[in-house]
Amino acid sequence: MLLSELAARAKSEGVSLGQMAVRLESIEAGVPAEVITAKVRSMLKVMKEAVEEGLRDPARRSRSGLSGGDAAKVARRLTLGKCFPGNDLLARAISYSLAVSEVNACMGKIVAAPTAGSCGIVPGTFFALKEALSLEDEALVDALCAAGLVGQVIAEKATLSGAEGGCQAECGSAAAMAACGLTQMGGGTPEDCIHAAALALKGLMGLVCDPVAGLVEIPCVKRNATSSAVAIASAEMALSGVRSFIPPDEVISAMAQVGRSIPESLRETSRGGLAATETGRSVASKFGSVSSTLDRQG
C-alpha cells in the first residue's frame, strides 16, 4: 500500500496514522487491536530503558573501545545550560539518540527501529519531545505505530538494509519514521505525517554505509544523532504546512533507485568512505577480522 493511500484512508475514517496502522495490523495478524498496542508498549519500554542505560554510566565503553561516553557529554552540557539558546529539545534528542546507539555498541538491549544501526533516532527524538510537551506514554505508542507504518512501506517499496541501499536505508528510514511520529505527537494530520517522512528521507538520500572496521560504531553512533536533527527539522516543516514537492511515495521509489546505484564499496562492506580513510584503515588493521558477535547491524 502507498503512504498517500494510507493517509487518505486515515483521514476518511477520522483516525490518526498510528490508529490506522493498528487497525491494519490487527486485521492482517488476526488479533485484537489491544494485542498490537500492548506489544508496542513493550517496545517503548525497552527504548526508554536503553536511553536511561546509555546515560547511566559515562565511563562505559564498547568492547572495541571506540564508543561510549558521548551521550553523557551532551547531557552534561544541557544540564549546565551551555547549549545554544532554544536548543534544549535538539540537545536532548541528540543525547538520547547517542545513548541508545552506545547501548547497542555495548551489546545492550535495544529495539531495532528499523535496524540496530539506526536504533537511536526514533527513541531519542520521541522521548525528547515527550519531555518537552509533557506527553503521556499513549501518545508515544500511537506515534510509534505511525512510525512503524512508514517503515513497513519503505521496507516493501525500497529497503531497510544498509548492505542493499546504503545508510540512507537505515538512518534515512529511521529519520523518516521519527519525523512521522514527531509530527503526529505535535498534532499533525496524517498528510502532515507522511510529508514529514518524505522531507526527512530526502534530507538523507544518498547517505552511504561505511562502518569503520565493519563495526556498527563509527560513524554509525554519531549519525544517529545528526539524523535525529533531520527528523526534528522535517517535523517542524510539516507542521508548518511545508510539503515535499516530490510526493512521499515517489521519494521512497527514488531512494530505492539511489540505493541500487550506490557502489558496493559504500554499502556496508567497509571498503569505501570513512572506512577507507587512513585512520579507518588503521583501526581495521588493529582489529583484524571483525567477529560477528561485534557486528550487530540489523
Side-chain angles (χ1 to χ4, degrees):
M1 189 172 287
L2 301 175
L3 284 181
S4 58
E5 294 175 349
L6 292 168
R9 181 171 172 180
K11 180 181 178 180
S12 68
E13 295 185 18
V15 298
S16 69
L17 200 61
Q19 291 168 331
M20 174 55 61
V22 173
R23 289 186 180 186
L24 294 175
E25 183 66 19
S26 176
I27 294 171
E28 183 175 339
V31 298
E34 293 76 14
V35 174
I36 306 298
T37 53
K39 184 175 181 179
V40 175
R41 284 191 199 94
S42 68
M43 292 180 183
L44 192 66
K45 181 174 182 290
V46 174
M47 288 180 169
K48 181 179 180 181
E49 291 171 348
V51 170
E52 294 170 344
E53 182 183 346
L55 293 170
R56 188 176 298 123
D57 182 9
R60 185 182 184 187
R61 295 290 183 273
S62 62
R63 286 174 57 187
S64 69
L66 297 174
S67 303
D70 287 334
K73 291 177 183 176
V74 179
R76 188 180 308 114
R77 177 176 165 85
L78 177 62
T79 300
L80 294 174
K82 293 184 176 182
C83 292
F84 294 140
N87 255 14
D88 283 10
L89 171 63
L90 179 58
R92 188 168 284 110
I94 289 171
S95 175
Y96 291 175
S97 297
L98 287 171
V100 176
S101 297
E102 289 175 349
V103 167
N104 177 60
C106 292
M107 300 299 159
K109 187 176 182 181
I110 53 90
V111 174
T115 66
S118 59
C119 65
I121 301 165
V122 170
T125 55
F126 277 26
F127 283 104
L129 189 60
K130 177 185 188 297
E131 293 179 21
L133 299 182
S134 300
L135 298 173
E136 299 295 330
D137 282 351
E138 286 309 300
L140 271 71
V141 170
D142 195 27
L144 193 54
C145 290
L149 191 61
V150 168
Q152 183 177 352
V153 172
I154 293 174
E156 292 175 354
K157 305 299 182 182
T159 180
L160 298 173
S161 167
E164 190 175 353
C167 199
Q168 60 162 8
E170 299 209 20
C171 283
S173 296
M177 292 165 62
C180 170
L182 292 171
T183 301
Q184 184 169 290
M185 290 163 68
T189 65
E191 184 184 13
D192 293 336
C193 292
I194 65 169
H195 276 275
L199 292 167
L201 197 55
K202 288 193 324 186
L204 291 167
M205 189 171 294
L207 184 61
V208 302
C209 185
D210 51 352
V212 171
L215 299 168
V216 189
E217 299 187 57
I218 300 172
C220 316
V221 171
K222 296 179 183 69
R223 273 191 186 151
N224 274 252
T226 53
S227 298
S228 294
V230 171
I232 291 172
S234 300
E236 287 283 13
M237 285 192 284
L239 287 167
S240 300
V242 176
R243 292 292 179 261
S244 171
F245 184 82
I246 306 299
D249 294 296
E250 291 184 33
V251 172
I252 294 174
S253 296
M255 187 270 266
Q257 187 278 325
V258 169
R260 291 190 292 270
S261 301
I262 294 175
E264 184 181 359
S265 62
L266 298 174
R267 285 188 278 123
E268 205 176 309
T269 58
S270 298
R271 296 204 303 267
L274 297 174
T277 61
E278 181 179 351
T279 298
R281 292 196 302 271
S282 175
V283 172
S285 176
K286 174 183 175 182
F287 288 105
S289 59
V290 181
S291 169
S292 61
T293 62
L294 288 176
D295 189 351
R296 295 185 55 199
Q297 186 145 355

